[in-house]
Amino acid sequence: MPVTVQNISKLYGTQTALHNVSLDIPKGQVVGLLGPNGAGKSTLMKILTGYLPADAGKAIVNGFDVAIQPLEARRNTGYLPEHNPVYPDLYVREFLELMGRLQGLGRKAKKRAAEVIALTGITPEQHKKVGQLSKGYRQRVGLAQALLHDPETLILDEPTSGLDPNQLTGIRQLIQSLGRDHTVLLSTHIMQEVEAMCTRIVIINKGNIVLDKPTGAINLQTQSLEDLFRQLTNDN
Ligand code: ADP
Ligand code: MG
């Protein structure tokens, strides 16, 4: 199982960000973590990637407990954080080669940078500075960075946030194609996005998982996220 989350809770001070969350993601699934702002999506992803400790519970990623062996857990995981930290003054190719070296790729960094540039469709932009790119291309650079060490599992925090409709289509297609040979957990607050990219939908609200179903099992076209929440809250 690439991702196993067992009864994870997280508090910031006295505020609960995650409450007893459990989730198993088998190999090959593309899971959309859907929820409004403040639901706990980024917190869960930070815990899964070892950037934040949980207060209770256990997260096992690619066979390793992230609290005990964070480096091993991360070795097979690519992470696009919510604030995609790309360096505006570096050239795209230079940035990716540098990140590759920091990942320990050594002399392979150059070749691997070229590969992820091709894979994420940024070849025409590779000689520009990161800061000169459109938001859509910057997201691609973030994805390219997440793919550098050829991980099997991808954790993508709002990969499409802030993109215009044209850029959205491109990034969605890219993520769909990555989903063919990766296990993916991505977050979004857009319903239709889950339908376009994901095989499974997990809805999180106020730190609780309130729905977990195959994408086909619910009609996302006719329902707004708000309606769905209202329904779920009434049912409980
Ligand atoms: P999402 O990614 O779904 O928007 P987050 O995981 O970022 O949600 O946040 C979950 C909750 O935790 C929110 O109520 C948010 O205000 C709170 N929170 C997130 N990060 C911090 C922090 N560093 N300090 C205090 N509260 C935080
Ligand atoms: Mg977030």
Side-chain angles (χ1 to χ4, degrees), residues 41-42 82 157-158:
K41 305 181 295 296
S42 297
E82 56 179 341
D157 198 351
E158 303 212 20

Side-chain angles (χ1 to χ4, degrees), residues 29 194 198-202 211-220:
Q29 276 193 359
V194 177
C198 305
T199 55
R200 175 175 165 198
I201 174 172
V202 173
L211 180 141
D212 182 350
K213 283 192 172 154
T215 308
I218 84 173
N219 190 343
L220 299 172

Side-chain angles (χ1 to χ4, degrees), residues 12-13 15-18 35-44 46 82 157-158 187 204:
Y12 294 108
Q15 192 190 3
T16 302
L18 291 173
N37 283 329
K41 305 181 295 296
S42 297
T43 300
L44 180 60
K46 284 176 197 164
E82 56 179 341
D157 198 351
E158 303 212 20
S187 67
I204 184 167

Side-chain angles (χ1 to χ4, degrees), residues 15 17-18 40-41 44 57-58 68-69 94 99 103 106 135-136 142 144-145 155-156 169 189 198 209 213 215 221:
Q15 192 190 3
L18 291 173
K41 305 181 295 296
L44 180 60
K58 202 161 151 167
I68 299 168
Q69 291 175 282
E94 180 190 27
M99 289 297 133
Q103 295 253 10
K135 171 94 181 159
Q145 186 195 349
I155 295 183
L156 311 175
T169 313
H189 50 260
C198 305
I209 291 182
K213 283 192 172 154
T215 308
Q221 292 292 352

Side-chain angles (χ1 to χ4, degrees), residues 6 12 19 22 46 71 82 95 101 105 117 158 174 180 207 210 227:
Q6 292 171 347
Y12 294 108
H19 179 69
S22 297
K46 284 176 197 164
L71 294 181
E82 56 179 341
F95 167 71
R101 281 197 290 277
L105 292 180
I117 283 170
E158 303 212 20
L174 175 56
R180 282 182 213 123
V210 292
D227 287 345

